[in-house]
Amino acid sequence: MDLLKKKIQDEGKVLSESVLKVDSFLNHQIDPILMQKIGEEFAARFADAGITKILTIESSGIAPATMTGLVLGVPVIFARKRKSLTLTDHLYSAEVYSFTKKETSEISVSKDFITSDDVVLMMDDFLANGQAALGLLSIAEQAKAKVAGVGIVIEKGFQNGSSQIRERGFNVESLAIIESLADGQVTFKEEVVSR
Ligand code: G4P
């Protein structure tokens, strides 16, 4: 997605060979026009999948997921990372280990919002080692929902998240795939258009 790649090139800051800072439009300040285009792109890529719900994880997955839900006309659920005062039982939950932060968190979703009748699209802002996406997939499995695929805004192609998810048989659609952050430069992987 050229608009997203341009935004990454113009505003992204390469913090190290493995970390890209994009807090001017995705992780802190949010660019709503870009999010709208991102929502339209995901909706087009998954148009024929019969999606009934979108499942993401707080906090940075919520903006692109909501825009996609708006275009597809389906509800958006975000997995919580912290215990909620009102969300205490009747939960699906999964452990997510962050290699970046070196900590494990438990994510949870109320059983009220995903059922075996649902066709779920998983979404997140970044795909690195895939632990968050695998946690979301575990929640969908617990609910016996069908998984339509995984939609990612920025995939770090040099980490193993997408291969972990594809090995399990799921379709991963990433709008920008970063091949390398070496020498302070963002290099994108050449796109293979599958539609
Ligand atoms: P994984 O889920 O793919 O295994 O990723 P990992 O544990 O490495 O990432 C933990 C957090 O760091 C996630 O956000 C993830 O989106 C984010 N992250 C990973 N790599 C990058 C990167 O290169 N740049 C930026 N900006 N973020 C990265 P989180 O802690 O859940 O934060 P948030 O969703 O509340 O913003």
Side-chain angles (χ1 to χ4, degrees):
M1 186 182 173
D2 291 342
L3 187 66
L4 173 64
K5 287 181 181 173
K6 183 168 183 338
K7 195 82 170 171
I8 293 169
Q9 290 289 17
D10 290 349
E11 297 184 23
K13 295 188 176 68
V14 177
L15 294 191
S16 70
E17 292 211 341
S18 62
V19 178
L20 174 71
K21 184 169 176 168
V22 285
D23 62 355
S24 70
F25 62 91
L26 183 60
N27 289 141
H28 196 16
Q29 176 171 263
I30 290 170
D31 179 339
I33 304 292
L34 178 66
M35 289 305 135
Q36 185 179 34
K37 303 279 182 217
I38 284 172
E40 289 166 359
E41 179 68 25
F42 279 125
R45 291 192 190 201
F46 289 98
D48 302 326
I51 290 159
T52 62
K53 297 271 169 77
I54 296 174
L55 177 61
T56 187
I57 184 165
E58 65 174 342
S59 54
S60 300
I62 295 174
T66 302
M67 290 305 196
T68 308
L70 185 65
V71 183
L72 288 174
V74 299
V76 178
I77 304 145
F78 62 90
R80 289 180 178 269
K81 290 180 192 159
R82 285 164 286 275
K83 289 273 177 262
S84 149
L85 187 63
T86 56
L87 185 68
T88 50
D89 53 16
H90 193 55
L91 299 171
Y92 297 118
S93 55
E95 299 230 310
V96 173
Y97 177 73
S98 168
F99 288 97
T100 311
K101 296 181 174 171
K102 310 237 177 321
E103 62 186 30
T104 300
S105 56
E106 191 179 36
I107 61 168
S108 47
V109 171
S110 168
K111 290 182 178 174
D112 288 339
F113 300 126
I114 306 184
T115 73
S116 56
D117 294 333
D118 281 315
V119 180
V120 180
L121 171 63
M122 312 291 155
M123 286 186 61
D124 211 354
D125 57 334
F126 268 90
L127 179 61
N129 295 294
Q131 298 304 300
L134 291 173
L136 294 178
L137 288 167
S138 162
I139 284 176
E141 269 166 26
Q142 291 170 47
K144 299 187 169 52
K146 187 170 170 230
V147 174
V150 178
I152 297 294
V153 180
I154 303 175
E155 174 183 328
K156 293 195 289 183
F158 53 88
Q159 294 182 297
N160 70 355
S162 75
S163 55
Q164 291 229 46
I165 297 164
R166 289 198 176 100
E167 272 166 21
R168 288 169 166 77
F170 299 108
N171 174 28
V172 181
E173 291 283 339
S174 303
L175 303 190
I177 303 179
I178 295 174
E179 192 169 77
S180 160
L181 294 172
D183 303 323
Q185 298 289 321
V186 180
T187 308
F188 294 105
K189 189 177 164 197
E190 288 303 313
E191 264 179 82
V192 181
V193 178
S194 57
R195 332 184 240 131

